[in-house]
Amino acid sequence: MFHTTQATFNLEVINYESPRGGQTREDRNLLLTCLQLVDKNRRWETITPMLHTWEIQHFVSWLNNIIDGHETPHQLTFSEPCLAIQLTEANPQKDVFCLSFLLSYEATPPWWMMPLDNPYRLSIECSRHALRDAINHLTSQLNRFPIR
């Protein structure tokens, strides 16, 4: 989804956490997600419920707003506290956008020795084209696992 020669951040939806549905809207729409991370020579992968279907929609809108140059919050948070995303630089004229992925709790890589509530930060510089690719990837995930 987001990658450079030194770093990768990828989210892949595996399934709904409760494939048969749940009692509440939140339970029905929580997604079991595979997080893949590369930071220099370190690689890590985990599968955990970390996003709801509507949060993927919100993520897509947030990225679109960044590309279009619209006012957008500098940080995107989700209902599960293990992931947050920050826009740390936006320079549309130079086609440079820097995103920092903040990982905590069950999304923390095993080499991170700080307290679990002190997030691990992975920063990735990307272009407008890379942001569009991420939007397409997230949209395809949402098409496979729509809000129910």
Side-chain angles (χ1 to χ4, degrees), residues 6-118:
Q6 295 287 314
T8 298
F9 179 89
N10 190 50
L11 290 174
E12 199 71 38
V13 176
I14 305 297
N15 204 347
Y16 296 100
E17 185 186 39
S18 301
R20 298 192 195 289
Q23 296 290 337
T24 66
R25 177 177 183 252
E26 286 74 17
D27 289 344
R28 286 190 302 275
N29 288 286
L30 186 57
L31 299 169
L32 194 59
T33 308
C34 179
L35 166 65
Q36 298 163 326
L37 171 74
V38 176
D39 190 359
K40 297 179 180 78
N41 61 345
R42 298 174 291 198
R43 297 177 182 276
W44 186 65
E45 182 176 304
T46 188
I47 297 174
T48 188
M50 69 170 58
L51 293 171
H52 288 92
T53 51
W54 60 82
E55 291 174 318
I56 291 179
Q57 280 184 327
H58 188 65
F59 190 5
V60 166
S61 296
W62 188 75
L63 290 172
N64 272 317
N65 285 336
I66 291 169
I67 289 173
D68 295 340
H70 297 302
E71 190 71 27
T72 187
H74 89 282
Q75 183 163 307
L76 184 62
T77 58
F78 304 98
S79 55
E80 297 294 324
C82 59
L83 174 65
I85 305 167
Q86 291 179 341
L87 174 64
T88 55
E89 181 183 352
N91 189 333
Q93 293 78 21
K94 292 185 177 181
D95 195 26
V96 173
F97 304 89
C98 188
L99 300 177
S100 289
F101 300 90
L102 307 174
L103 306 170
S104 54
Y105 302 104
E106 65 269 23
T108 305
W111 61 80
W112 186 241
M113 298 301 173
M114 299 300 284
L116 291 177
D117 61 348
N118 185 2

